[in-house]
Amino acid sequence: MHPEVLAMLRVAVVASPPVSMFNLAIPELLFSKVEIDGQPGYEVVICAPDPGSVPSTGTVDLHVPHGLETIREADTVIVAGTGEPFSPDPRVLEALREAAGAGVRIASLCTGAFSLAEAGLLNGRKATTYWAHADELRRRHPGVEVQGDVLYAQDGQFLTSSGYAAGIDLCLHLIRTDYGAAVANTVARLALVAPVRPGGQTQFTQTPLPPERGTVCADTRGWAMRNLDKPLTLTDLARHAGVSVRTLTRRFHAESGVSPLQWLLHQRIERAKELLETTTLAMDQVATACGLGTADSLRAHLVRRTGLTPSAYRAQFSRHGTGAVAVTSSVA
């Protein structure tokens, strides 16, 4: 979707009881913050097999006024996680099959992947779910290529995320696909969450959660973000953090789930996307500003990450270009 197109995209979120309130809140929170030229980019509609009072996995029930017919008018369908994922409602499965046949983009959060799998949409495809249920997804649906250690996965028109906060990453990825990195990163800042993370990042099942503030690595990440135009090395990062390279690498991975250089490369590519979308800088200037060195290096990294050359990316996402976004089968 080109940013100049003002028609809202409709997102239908399926709430199968007992629905995860956290999952349900994520799409509405993030998609509602998208504005294009002062106009909302999305309309989010929550629906359920039986409209009305819908039990949640918590202590309160929700009132959902819309039924599954909403899915027929959706550009994207998102199946929220549920506390009873192994026996999805046949009406939900039929609605998902109908939407898939119409070419609608379909995503799941957490245990919602079981509904997509039961509907037969994930056979022969890569998918993920919350790590604690990954083995059960493999057992029940051997035709699915389950990736149990990633944040989210995309295979064609189907996307699946792992548990809890990974749903945020998936929704930001969808926003980036529709409107570009600059818009997605603006939404992330407004929601006070991390910028778009690559789907292949691990689910951190073996690592502790980082403290909210005051960590050495957090300070160093902020410093690196302010100096992306410089050729930063592991030694530079370790020197700023006041630790050895080995200690930095260990702490960095414990806090972010990736190595320092993987994180740095991802930030450089994200900065390049923003510059391609929001400026008319020459490719060499973009490459220099984000620390990727040369236009050839920028091209190689962007093609590997998005499937688009810098010129094609700018043409599809910049307000100065034209064209429509093509959703690729790889995780961007």
Side-chain angles (χ1 to χ4, degrees):
M1 177 61 63
H2 190 273
E4 290 179 355
V5 178
L6 298 182
M8 285 192 297
L9 299 176
R10 171 172 280 208
V11 179
V13 185
V14 180
S16 295
V19 66
S20 163
M21 291 184 64
F22 184 71
N23 277 189
L24 208 57
I26 289 171
E28 192 152 33
L29 169 68
L30 297 179
F31 291 116
S32 67
K33 293 188 180 298
V34 175
E35 288 192 0
I36 307 299
D37 293 334
Q39 301 297 318
Y42 295 95
E43 176 188 12
V44 180
V45 181
I46 298 174
C47 61
D50 295 303
S53 180
V54 176
S56 75
T57 54
T59 59
V60 299
D61 292 347
L62 305 172
H63 179 73
V64 179
H66 303 286
L68 297 178
E69 65 277 0
T70 299
I71 292 177
R72 297 192 185 100
E73 302 174 355
D75 300 289
T76 299
V77 177
I78 299 178
V79 182
T82 171
E84 297 180 3
F86 306 137
S87 301
D89 191 307
R91 293 170 294 176
V92 172
L93 302 183
E94 183 57 33
L96 292 177
R97 294 187 188 108
E98 182 181 340
V104 174
R105 183 172 61 182
I106 301 176
S108 66
L109 306 182
C110 196
T111 56
F114 285 87
S115 292
L116 272 64
E118 189 65 31
L121 306 182
L122 300 181
N123 289 333
R125 297 183 181 275
K126 297 176 182 178
T128 192
T129 188
Y130 182 44
W131 65 269
H133 296 297
D135 287 341
E136 186 65 17
L137 185 61
R138 291 189 186 95
R139 188 185 71 79
R140 289 175 177 267
H141 303 282
V144 179
E145 187 179 337
V146 179
Q147 299 182 312
D149 60 348
V150 299
L151 292 176
Y152 58 88
Q154 178 171 358
D155 197 324
Q157 75 195 88
F158 305 107
L159 302 95
T160 51
S161 81
S162 57
Y164 297 101
I168 296 174
D169 296 292
L170 183 142
C171 288
L172 288 174
H173 170 68
L174 293 176
I175 294 170
R176 181 179 62 186
T177 299
D178 292 335
Y179 291 111
V183 173
N185 289 336
T186 296
V187 170
R189 287 192 292 270
L190 290 172
L192 298 178
V193 297
V196 182
R197 295 185 291 177
Q201 190 166 318
T202 65
Q203 293 185 29
F204 317 135
T205 57
Q206 302 297 325
T207 57
L209 292 174
E212 293 183 358
R213 60 183 182 275
T215 66
V216 172
C217 288
D219 292 340
T220 298
R221 285 194 295 271
W223 172 79
M225 289 291 291
R226 296 188 296 273
N227 291 276
L228 286 179
D229 59 326
K230 298 180 175 61
L232 302 177
T233 65
L234 269 178
T235 300
D236 295 328
L237 296 173
R239 183 182 298 116
H240 181 273
V243 297
S244 67
V245 168
R246 181 175 180 180
T247 298
L248 173 82
T249 301
R250 175 174 54 80
R251 290 181 180 175
F252 206 102
H253 196 283
E255 293 181 11
S256 66
V258 294
S259 73
L261 293 183
Q262 286 175 319
W263 177 88
L264 189 60
L265 177 59
H266 178 69
Q267 302 307 322
R268 292 192 192 284
I269 295 171
E270 288 301 304
R271 178 68 57 80
K273 289 179 181 178
E274 289 201 42
L275 292 174
L276 289 170
E277 293 173 30
T278 59
T279 75
T280 56
L281 291 173
M283 297 308 169
D284 278 327
Q285 292 174 301
V286 172
T288 299
C290 65
L292 288 175
T294 66
D296 287 341
S297 177
L298 169 65
R299 178 188 176 90
H301 285 296
L302 200 65
V303 168
R304 188 176 302 116
R305 181 63 60 86
T306 68
L308 298 173
T309 64
S311 295
Y313 187 91
R314 172 172 275 168
Q316 294 196 12
F317 286 111
S318 171
R319 294 179 184 274
H320 304 286
T322 59
V325 172
V327 179
T328 63
S329 62
S330 60
V331 176

